Amino acid sequence: MFYDRVKIYVKGGDGGNGCVAFRREKYVPEGGPWGGDGGKGADVILKGDGGLRTLVDFRYQRHYKGMRGQHGRGKNMHGRWADDLVMRVPLGTVVRDEKTGFVLGDIVAEGQELVVARGGRGGRGNSRFAGPNNKAPSMAEKGEPGEERWLVLELKLLADVGLVGYPNAGKSTLISRVSAARPKIADYPFTTLTPNLGVVSMGEGRSFIMADIPGLIEGAHGGAGLGHEFLRHVERTRLIVHVLDTAGTEGRDPLEDFKVISRELELYNQDLAARPLVIAANKMDLPGSEENLIRLKAALGEKYEIFPISAVTGAGVPNLINRVYELLEELPVQPLHDTKEQEFVHASEPRFTITRQDGELVVTGREIEKHVAMTDLENEEALDRLQRIIGLMGLEQALRDCGAKNGDTVRIGNFTFDYVDF
């Protein structure tokens, strides 16, 4: 099966916990704190692989979690960092955050890597908290939780030329004639159920990639036929070759076919309407094609180049392919997604937000939730430190401003406490 759109869950590895330890050696009085830091959790990384053609591997496994970092140990020994979780995806994969819709990245090169969920940093051991006012701290941080999110992976094939047209217009026959691609060919509609890629060799190391886009009929932009599933694969092409059944073997008018498919491309994506296009007037070996070719040239000849061909016999195909290659030499590569979209800007997020839910005051926010998650809530010294952080962030005053009263329940992540106004 050809899978070109999947939704997966990714979570970076949690950081390892810091260690609480003290140096106790003969002849070393009051050795002091000696606990090491935890190791960093694994990043989840997507890596481009030119040998893959679909996203089928993600069909059977949807959840991916990185390993956590090793915990710190005594003698100031830091925990080992976890190995990153690397998942291979085909070239042309667009990665979006499912919740926000932002584009995280566009993987178009062999070996290109994109971090989609960062592992948490390791918690600091108690030796890191020693100072003039606290020479023997008995607290350490827990590891930072790794990032987690749902992703939508969407494959848009990387091809220079896209073949479009009605079913049975001869697209599959044409791509099999000019490349090593061997799609299924038969005399009934929707023979091709998945896009096909073929490398067209021009000799002396020159070549280009051609894609056969199946299933375009009227209403394709809205889901009719197969076009709604595969129109995305036209977006990256620099040149469109519109293949027409010039002989009208299916009982349709080739001129009307051209208008219908052109309208579908425009309705799906306005940019496609402005994309360079040439017409392959196919099936010129059949009766009725000459009369229709005259009509096509009269109606479209001033705006588009029209090449009469027969994909079955090969007549006229070299002229078409040579002209396509000449045009590709002049056309720039299609720009990728705006890089400004590709990063989340956490700096603009509020430090916390307070809402009332089911009688509780719920505090949410990336920064405050991280502090709570990294605090050992069973350690009194760590709780005192968390309370100081809460005060410095202005949360206490914000709770008062929200009308918090003594005894109200406040929830931050998995941590709940009773509000007390001193």
Side-chain angles (χ1 to χ4, degrees):
M1 296 294 291
F2 182 84
Y3 288 97
D4 57 357
R5 185 181 175 87
V6 295
K7 186 170 80 168
I8 62 173
Y9 169 83
V10 293
K11 184 183 186 305
D14 297 339
N17 296 336
C19 175
V20 176
F22 294 91
R23 188 174 185 181
R24 295 182 178 89
E25 293 182 80
K26 193 175 182 180
Y27 310 122
V28 185
E30 299 180 356
W34 216 16
D37 300 342
K40 178 182 176 297
D43 292 338
V44 180
I45 299 173
L46 299 181
K47 185 174 183 178
D49 186 340
L52 300 178
R53 286 291 177 266
T54 77
L55 297 168
V56 67
D57 291 343
F58 299 97
R59 165 75 173 171
Y60 305 104
Q61 182 179 347
R62 298 292 181 93
H63 290 72
Y64 298 86
K65 296 182 180 181
M67 297 292 291
R68 79 171 303 152
Q70 191 179 53
H71 299 318
R73 290 181 287 178
K75 298 185 180 180
N76 263 347
M77 290 191 292
H78 300 327
R80 184 174 63 85
W81 286 26
D83 294 331
D84 293 335
L85 174 59
V86 180
M87 302 181 296
R88 297 184 177 274
V89 295
L91 303 186
T93 301
V94 180
V95 185
R96 294 182 183 273
D97 183 271
E98 194 264 342
K99 182 178 180 180
T100 64
F102 285 166
V103 175
L104 299 181
D106 198 354
I107 300 176
V108 296
E110 179 73 32
Q112 178 185 346
E113 294 186 350
L114 174 68
V115 178
V116 292
R118 298 191 180 279
R121 70 172 178 85
R124 292 174 290 180
N126 68 330
S127 62
R128 300 286 293 272
F129 294 97
N133 297 325
N134 189 0
K135 295 183 178 181
S138 59
M139 57 155 286
E141 285 181 328
K142 299 173 73 173
E144 179 185 12
E147 290 183 332
E148 56 183 317
R149 57 170 61 102
W150 281 91
L151 300 176
V152 174
L153 307 184
E154 187 177 48
L155 175 60
K156 298 182 180 180
L157 294 178
L158 295 176
D160 301 299
V161 178
L163 300 180
V164 301
Y166 260 91
N168 270 22
K171 302 185 297 298
S172 297
T173 305
L174 177 58
I175 198 172
S176 66
R177 164 73 61 178
V178 300
S179 74
R182 292 295 176 263
K184 182 178 180 181
I185 299 172
D187 60 351
Y188 55 84
F190 300 112
T191 309
T192 305
L193 298 177
T194 64
N196 292 295
L197 282 179
V199 178
V200 181
S201 176
M202 304 299 294
E204 300 179 0
R206 300 176 302 163
S207 65
F208 61 88
I209 299 176
M210 178 179 285
D212 167 16
I213 311 300
L216 293 186
I217 61 173
E218 187 171 10
H221 75 281
L226 301 175
H228 184 256
E229 294 296 323
F230 300 125
L231 270 169
R232 67 172 67 94
H233 300 296
V234 190
E235 293 183 39
R236 295 189 190 274
T237 59
R238 290 186 285 160
L239 177 67
I240 296 175
V241 176
H242 196 142
V243 182
L244 294 175
D245 177 2
T246 316
T249 58
E250 300 292 320
R252 297 188 310 271
D253 178 9
L255 183 57
E256 185 61 25
D257 284 359
F258 178 84
K259 293 177 181 178
V260 169
I261 299 301
S262 297
R263 189 182 310 120
E264 292 303 317
L265 294 176
E266 183 177 3
L267 290 172
Y268 177 77
N269 187 330
Q270 290 273 348
D271 293 338
L272 291 178
R275 199 70 51 87
L277 180 146
V278 298
I279 298 174
N282 192 26
K283 303 189 180 182
M284 291 301 298
D285 55 315
L286 299 180
S289 57
E290 291 293 343
E291 293 82 354
N292 285 330
L293 178 62
I294 294 173
R295 294 175 55 238
L296 285 172
K297 288 184 175 180
L300 305 172
E302 293 185 3
K303 186 174 181 181
Y304 304 105
E305 294 185 66
I306 301 176
F307 294 86
I309 68 167
S310 171
V312 171
T313 66
V317 173
N319 292 336
L320 169 66
I321 297 304
N322 288 332
R323 181 54 180 155
V324 165
Y325 185 78
E326 290 176 1
L327 291 172
L328 288 176
E329 291 285 278
E330 303 169 1
L331 296 174
V333 177
Q334 288 298 313
L336 303 179
H337 292 278
D338 189 352
T339 54
K340 294 179 181 178
E341 278 191 90
Q342 296 182 13
E343 295 182 0
F344 287 106
V345 183
H346 296 303
S348 60
E349 295 180 359
R351 304 187 77 179
F352 55 81
T353 303
I354 304 174
T355 57
R356 281 193 177 271
Q357 298 178 16
D358 300 327
E360 295 180 337
L361 289 165
V362 180
V363 181
T364 57
R366 179 182 174 85
E367 183 179 355
I368 187 64
E369 289 180 17
K370 183 185 75 170
H371 283 301
V372 170
M374 297 182 70
T375 298
D376 181 0
L377 300 177
E378 297 181 359
N379 184 294
E380 186 175 349
E381 189 175 338
L383 283 173
D384 289 341
R385 178 174 179 268
L386 177 61
Q387 186 171 353
R388 291 195 300 272
I389 291 173
I390 288 176
L392 291 171
M393 291 182 67
L395 179 57
E396 292 179 350
Q397 183 60 48
L399 288 170
R400 294 191 193 98
D401 295 341
C402 286
K405 300 176 182 178
N406 287 332
D408 284 352
T409 300
V410 181
R411 179 183 297 276
I412 307 175
N414 295 326
F415 176 50
T416 59
F417 60 92
D418 293 332
Y419 176 77
V420 178
D421 191 1
F422 294 101

